[in-house]
Amino acid sequence: MTLGVTGVMSRIAELQDQLGLKPAPAPGGTSGAKFASALAGATGPGAGNTPAAGPSGGDVVAAAKKYLGTPYVFGSTDPAKGLDCSALVQRAYRDLGVELPRNSAQQAKAGRPVAGLGDAKPGDILAFNSPVDHVAIYLGDNKMIAAPKPGDQVKIQSVYEKPSAIRRVLDSVPTAAVQDMSALRPAGLRATSSGLTGVPYADLFEKFGTKHGVSPKLLAAVAKVESDYNPRAVSKVGAQGLMQLMPATARGLGVDDAFDPSQAINGAAKLLASHLREFKSVPLALAAYNAGGGAVHRHNGIPPSAETQAYVPKVQKALAALGG
């Protein structure tokens, strides 16, 4: 049954009564004007069912400024120890209840694009280089706050070159969306992933990534770097299969046959999930996957070995190629 204007207005009045709202007096004029007024009274600001505005870009700037003077420490997300560039951005937004991905390449895809620096607003994310390897928070007036490099600290500086990307995460974010946070989480980080079409064993990356709470794209990127998706690969030190698990590690993960892609991916997902929970950082979790968690703890970051220093950016590059 199709309701006319009168029927719709009657339904709005019922909803107002159910919500405990006082209906506004019916204005004069046409029935269309009455309808618009009634609809505004039922759904507009003050009606009780429209969330208040969420945090603003200015709030992001204020949150970031709390970390001025914090030392730059690559891979660290703990302000008591130090922060790297993407950790600063993530921390400032997280302090406002907005969850962002961990690394700079992922943050350069969060929110929506801004055409150029002339259109940028305080709180926007500035990304630099291609592939992206540095991010900062725009302050306005060609200034930004960033954790620039080792030996430096979080500070305010001029925007010294044209950003390769500018992203706006906050326009006017409803409070409810911030509390939920899933509304702001990039699609690649939600419970299900996409974009693995054509990738070998995509269904297994999806299945076990979802099971253990690890991005399927991250698992696929690790497999790409470890074995180039070869389930029969064996390294010179004896690591086996698609995910290059050492025999002792495989046994500890309950993997009976590391050459079986299903078992290998399940074990690798379990291992990565453990490292992510422990280190709360994708780069550090990758370093632990390559060199062991003990090595990451001993060096309080990515171990200085040439292999691990090269391994982490290789996986990050593979992840970026998958759109992760």
Side-chain angles (χ1 to χ4, degrees), residues 72-96:
Y72 178 100
V73 175
F74 179 76
S76 174
T77 59
D78 183 355
K81 298 177 180 178
L83 298 169
D84 61 20
C85 64
S86 54
L88 169 67
V89 173
Q90 185 185 50
R91 173 70 61 166
Y93 275 89
R94 181 176 286 167
D95 287 351
L96 301 173

Side-chain angles (χ1 to χ4, degrees), residues 52-65 89 91-98 100 120-125 137-139 167-175 178 184:
S56 67
D59 294 326
V60 176
V61 169
K65 285 183 175 179
V89 173
R91 173 70 61 166
Y93 275 89
R94 181 176 286 167
D95 287 351
L96 301 173
V98 179
L100 290 182
K121 295 181 178 180
D124 287 351
I125 298 172
I137 294 173
Y138 190 56
L139 303 182
R167 309 293 296 191
R168 182 163 301 153
V169 176
L170 299 179
D171 282 303
S172 178
V173 183
T175 300
V178 175
L184 294 174

Side-chain angles (χ1 to χ4, degrees), residues 12-109:
I12 289 173
E14 291 176 11
L15 290 171
Q16 287 177 319
D17 183 61
Q18 292 170 7
L19 293 169
L21 304 174
K22 182 179 179 181
T30 64
S31 59
K34 292 180 181 180
F35 170 73
S37 177
L39 185 61
T43 63
N49 60 348
T50 297
S56 67
D59 294 326
V60 176
V61 169
K65 285 183 175 179
K66 293 187 300 183
Y67 301 106
L68 284 169
T70 301
Y72 178 100
V73 175
F74 179 76
S76 174
T77 59
D78 183 355
K81 298 177 180 178
L83 298 169
D84 61 20
C85 64
S86 54
L88 169 67
V89 173
Q90 185 185 50
R91 173 70 61 166
Y93 275 89
R94 181 176 286 167
D95 287 351
L96 301 173
V98 179
E99 192 68 22
L100 290 182
R102 169 64 180 96
N103 69 42
S104 54
Q106 293 170 329
Q107 291 174 0
K109 297 178 181 179

Side-chain angles (χ1 to χ4, degrees), residues 148-284:
K149 61 184 184 297
D152 212 331
Q153 60 187 17
V154 176
K155 64 184 182 181
I156 293 172
Q157 55 186 165
S158 296
V159 182
Y160 49 79
E161 64 181 60
K162 181 181 178 181
S164 56
I166 303 175
R167 309 293 296 191
R168 182 163 301 153
V169 176
L170 299 179
D171 282 303
S172 178
V173 183
T175 300
V178 175
Q179 290 170 344
D180 177 23
M181 290 196 280
S182 63
L184 294 174
R185 203 166 288 139
L189 298 179
R190 292 179 192 159
T192 58
S193 177
S194 60
L196 289 180
T197 303
V199 174
Y201 309 106
D203 56 335
L204 296 178
F205 294 129
E206 291 277 358
K207 175 182 177 180
F208 294 113
T210 301
K211 176 181 177 180
H212 296 290
V214 176
S215 164
K217 291 181 180 178
L218 181 59
L219 283 172
V222 169
K224 172 66 177 176
V225 172
E226 290 285 357
S227 68
D228 198 22
Y229 305 121
N230 178 6
R232 305 306 301 173
V234 179
S235 79
K236 59 184 179 182
V237 296
Q240 300 174 343
L242 188 73
M243 307 306 293
Q244 289 293 276
L245 299 174
M246 294 296 290
T249 302
R251 286 193 297 273
L253 294 169
V255 176
D256 297 322
D257 182 1
F259 296 111
D260 176 356
S262 181
Q263 289 191 48
I265 294 172
N266 185 35
K270 190 186 300 184
L271 182 59
L272 269 175
S274 174
H275 289 326
L276 286 165
R277 286 193 299 271
E278 181 175 3
F279 296 106
K280 298 178 175 61
S281 160
V282 170
L284 293 183

Side-chain angles (χ1 to χ4, degrees), residues 106-144:
Q106 293 170 329
Q107 291 174 0
K109 297 178 181 179
R112 67 176 180 83
V114 175
L117 200 59
D119 299 310
K121 295 181 178 180
D124 287 351
I125 298 172
L126 306 183
F128 297 91
N129 304 319
S130 183
V132 172
D133 59 12
H134 183 57
V135 285
I137 294 173
Y138 190 56
L139 303 182
D141 297 326
N142 205 48
K143 299 289 185 183
M144 64 184 185

